[in-house]
Amino acid sequence: MNKPATIDFTTVTHLPIAAAQAPALHDLVPGEARDSLLAVQDALRRELPLGPLAIYEAGGGSCSVVPPDLLSRSKITVVDIDEDQVRNNTYAHEAILGDVQAYRFGQETFDLVICYNVIEHLPHVDAALLNFRDALKRGGMILIGAPNPRSLSGVVTKYSPHWFHVWFYRNIRGIKEAGLPGEPPFPTFFHPLVTLPRLEAFAAASGLEMIYRREVESPRYPEMRRRKPLLAALVDAGAAVLNAVFPRGTDVRRGDYHVILRKR
């Protein structure tokens, strides 16, 4: 995960080839987010070329959303600004300490750029997206997963203090190491381009077409229903009231989205 910052140095760690073959997929509870991520992985299998792949994970940290069958034929390059995340990475061929907003690769280097749960932490999302586009081969793709800032969870995340995020991760999600060095949650910015319609418009103006788009219920909801059913019932009831007030078709529980952009 990328913490917001700018640095002027780069550390490159070359890891064994076998490490890139280790599956490190996100452990999502059953629900819309998991279903969408599986659909994204199927789309990548269909759309990516056969043979060896070059994949750039921006803010990749220590886990990957790339399915194992693609990992096994890919050279993975990770750039992350968190030294602990880079050190803990076990699957990349190159793990680079750097800022994805400023770090630039050669033109048409990668088949796929993955930016998963990262852009909400960046103060300069536009710079990062243009760097990703320039590093892509023609027809290459960018996978973005991000929270929806107009959802209930997005509004809470945007306007609550960071200590509350840490408390939520530790006491509601049960992640006791949350907030320790190299561990989420990380501070959020919610640049305007994190909003899905603005992201889509910026992508279109930058030579990127959106070939997959899906808004999903935040995985925090099924997690709460499993771990804290009473609290989840209260939150679900509040969300239902808000949905009744807002225009038809609105669901404030759709707190995340997945998109795939393809370079024209």
Side-chain angles (χ1 to χ4, degrees), residues 126-149:
D126 49 348
L129 291 174
L130 293 177
N131 284 342
F132 302 161
R133 179 204 62 187
D134 292 344
L136 277 179
K137 300 174 184 177
R138 188 167 299 278
M141 293 177 289
I142 306 171
L143 165 61
I144 297 174
N148 175 9

Side-chain angles (χ1 to χ4, degrees), residues 110-197:
F110 297 103
D111 299 288
L112 173 66
V113 176
I114 296 178
C115 189
Y116 198 86
N117 287 345
V118 171
I119 63 173
E120 66 272 22
H121 303 287
L122 303 179
H124 304 295
V125 175
D126 49 348
L129 291 174
L130 293 177
N131 284 342
F132 302 161
R133 179 204 62 187
D134 292 344
L136 277 179
K137 300 174 184 177
R138 188 167 299 278
M141 293 177 289
I142 306 171
L143 165 61
I144 297 174
N148 175 9
R150 294 180 177 176
S151 67
L152 178 58
S153 58
V155 169
V156 171
T157 300
K158 183 175 181 178
Y159 293 106
S160 60
H162 184 65
W163 65 260
F164 175 78
H165 304 172
V166 175
W167 177 89
F168 182 88
Y169 269 59
R170 291 182 179 178
N171 295 278
I172 305 302
R173 298 192 64 195
I175 304 174
K176 299 307 179 184
E177 67 273 18
L180 297 178
E183 298 293 337
F186 301 113
T188 54
F189 275 93
F190 278 119
H191 184 283
L193 286 180
V194 177
T195 305
L196 191 48

Side-chain angles (χ1 to χ4, degrees), residues 3-129:
K3 294 183 193 175
T6 300
I7 59 177
D8 58 1
F9 61 90
T10 300
T11 300
V12 181
T13 303
H14 296 275
L15 298 174
I17 299 295
Q21 300 173 359
L25 301 178
H26 284 261
D27 184 19
L28 290 177
V29 296
E32 292 182 3
R34 185 175 184 273
D35 292 343
S36 179
L37 184 56
L38 291 173
V40 162
Q41 293 180 343
D42 286 340
L44 295 180
R45 291 186 182 99
R46 290 193 308 270
E47 299 293 334
L48 285 169
L50 299 176
L53 298 171
I55 298 179
Y56 167 26
E57 294 206 26
S62 57
C63 58
S64 175
V65 297
V66 179
D69 56 309
L70 294 185
L71 275 177
S72 67
R73 60 184 176 96
S74 301
K75 177 183 177 182
I76 308 290
T77 301
V78 162
V79 177
D80 199 292
I81 207 166
D82 189 293
E83 187 173 356
D84 293 289
Q85 290 276 55
V86 171
R87 184 184 302 111
N88 292 336
N89 187 283
T90 61
Y91 64 89
H93 294 74
E94 287 186 301
I96 301 172
L97 184 64
D99 184 347
V100 302
Q101 301 163 112
Y103 197 91
R104 298 183 64 84
F105 291 95
Q107 297 280 324
E108 300 192 358
T109 300
F110 297 103
D111 299 288
L112 173 66
V113 176
I114 296 178
C115 189
Y116 198 86
N117 287 345
V118 171
I119 63 173
E120 66 272 22
H121 303 287
L122 303 179
H124 304 295
V125 175
D126 49 348
L129 291 174

